[in-house]
């Protein structure tokens, strides 16, 4: 509707303001411009819709990769959390049984306190692993998301190029230049999206896919060290338990 009104204004301006002799030439030229506008307006609109679909595909790929990465990370965190929370259950059961069996209570209680302190330290370390991983994956996706937002504005602008061009060109005095601008701008827009934007979007998607297992593996490596620490500390507690459970320790002075 807006574009039709603009074309009507241009045509009326030519018909009422032009001198008789040149007017015939300019009417034909303006008529050519109107034909070009009618040809390229739907082309720009279709190009905008096509690029919107490309960007929607990119967003879907970004969100899918991000979601799968989060699922893998949550799985790793869950396994590490279970190892930290339940990894000392066996020795705790032995400590409780030995206390009931007359073991050195203070010595055994000290082992329990050490286990609790170690679990707290491991939980804090697990939070650090998660924090580093969150920063890495957010940095990776944030730059891509910003790029998509910019491209979305450019894609939306495609559908408005024809209307906007009337504000930057003297369609009455030089309709030929206006028509040439539309032809040139459309081809440049097609070339830009096909030769630069589309490959860049695909590169970013490939980069997300490439970095996803690296980020997950780095997080897994950080958590694996904590699980190893559970085993190491368990060995230490078992050694101390044997000392606390020794018959002579339970003997009264």
């Amino acid at each position: 509707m807006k574009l039709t009104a603009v074309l009507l204004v241009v045509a009326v301006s030519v018909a009422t303001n032009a001198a008789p002799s040149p007017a015939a030439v300019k009417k034909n030229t303006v008529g050519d411009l109107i034909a070009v506008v009618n040809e390229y307006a739907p082309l720009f609109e279709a190009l905008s819709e096509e690029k919107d679909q490309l960007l929607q595909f990119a967003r879907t790929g970004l969100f899918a990769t991000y979601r799968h990465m989060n699922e893998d990370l949550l799985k790793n965190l869950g396994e590490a959390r279970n190892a930290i929370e339940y990894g000392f259950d066996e020795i705790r059961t032995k400590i409780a049984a030995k206390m009931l069996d007359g073991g050195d209570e203070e010595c055994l209680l000290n082992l329990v306190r050490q286990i609790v302190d170690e679990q707290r330290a491991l939980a804090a370390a697990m939070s650090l692993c998660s924090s580093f991983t969150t920063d890495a994956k957010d940095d990776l996706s944030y730059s891509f998301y910003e790029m998509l937002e910019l491209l979305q504005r450019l894609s939306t602008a495609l559908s408005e190029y024809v209307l906007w061009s009337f504000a930057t060109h003297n369609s009455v005095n030089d309709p030929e230049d206006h028509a040439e601008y539309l032809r040139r701008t459309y081809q440049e827009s097609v070339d830009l999206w096909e030769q630069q934007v589309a490959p860049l979007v695909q590169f970013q998607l490939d980069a997300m896919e490439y970095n996803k297992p690296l980020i997950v593996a780095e997080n897994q490596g950080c958590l694996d060290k904590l699980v190893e620490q559970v085993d190491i500390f368990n060995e230490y507690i078992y050694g101390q338990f044997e000392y606390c459970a020794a018959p002579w320790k339970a003997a009264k002075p």
Side-chain angles (χ1 to χ4, degrees):
M1 182 64 70
K2 290 181 180 179
L3 184 56
T4 302
V6 170
L7 292 176
L8 182 59
V9 170
V10 172
V12 170
S13 297
V14 172
T16 57
N17 297 331
S21 174
V25 177
K26 286 192 174 181
K27 279 183 180 178
N28 292 335
T29 308
V30 169
D32 292 341
L33 170 61
I34 293 174
V36 170
V37 168
N38 288 334
E39 176 186 358
Y40 278 88
L43 290 178
F44 274 107
E45 186 68 34
L47 185 62
S48 176
E49 293 177 359
E50 177 186 331
K51 301 319 169 188
D52 282 346
Q53 292 176 0
L54 169 66
L55 297 178
Q56 184 57 45
F57 166 77
R59 288 192 188 90
T60 301
L62 170 62
F63 295 150
T65 301
Y66 202 78
R67 185 182 70 249
H68 293 156
M69 189 188 309
N70 282 337
E71 290 173 352
D72 292 342
L73 292 171
L74 287 174
K75 178 176 177 291
N76 294 344
L77 285 171
E79 292 174 352
R81 176 187 175 279
N82 289 340
I84 293 171
E85 183 172 356
Y86 305 116
F88 301 102
D89 282 0
E90 182 177 336
I91 186 61
R92 276 179 158 169
T93 300
K94 289 181 177 291
I95 290 173
K98 195 61 183 177
M99 289 176 66
L100 294 175
D101 195 35
D104 186 330
E105 183 174 335
E106 184 57 35
C107 185
L108 293 169
L109 283 175
N110 183 55
L111 295 183
V112 174
R113 286 191 287 267
Q114 290 185 62
I115 291 173
V116 171
D117 290 342
E118 182 66 12
Q119 285 180 308
R120 288 174 178 168
L122 290 172
M126 187 173 69
S127 296
L128 286 177
C129 289
S130 300
S131 177
F132 295 148
T133 301
T134 298
D135 290 343
K137 65 186 179 69
D138 285 352
D139 287 345
L140 183 64
S141 61
Y142 184 71
S143 60
F144 190 15
Y145 181 77
E146 278 194 323
M147 185 191 75
L148 290 178
E149 288 299 298
L150 173 61
L151 292 177
Q152 183 61 67
R153 290 195 290 272
L154 294 177
S155 175
T156 302
L158 286 172
S159 62
E160 302 172 355
Y161 272 2
V162 174
L163 183 60
W164 174 79
S165 67
F166 281 93
T168 58
H169 290 79
N170 192 331
S171 306
V172 174
N173 293 330
D174 197 355
E176 183 177 353
D177 178 66
H178 190 171
E180 179 57 30
Y181 167 81
L182 292 177
R183 296 189 186 96
R184 183 178 66 254
T185 301
Y186 176 77
Q187 189 56 51
E188 288 175 350
S189 298
V190 171
D191 293 343
L192 172 67
W193 282 83
E194 290 183 355
Q195 298 174 16
Q196 298 184 42
V197 175
L200 178 60
V201 169
Q202 187 60 54
F203 173 81
Q204 290 285 358
L205 287 173
D206 292 343
M208 285 289 295
E209 282 296 324
Y210 176 82
N211 283 286
K212 181 184 73 172
L214 299 181
I215 292 175
V216 173
E218 183 178 10
N219 175 258
Q220 183 67 70
C222 184
L223 296 174
D224 284 345
K225 292 178 181 178
L226 303 184
V227 175
E228 290 175 6
Q229 180 60 25
V230 171
D231 296 335
I232 293 172
F233 197 76
N234 248 325
E235 292 181 8
Y236 163 75
I237 292 296
Y238 267 102
Q240 293 298 306
F241 172 75
E242 294 299 327
Y243 172 78
C244 294
W248 60 270
K249 284 289 294 179
K252 301 296 182 182

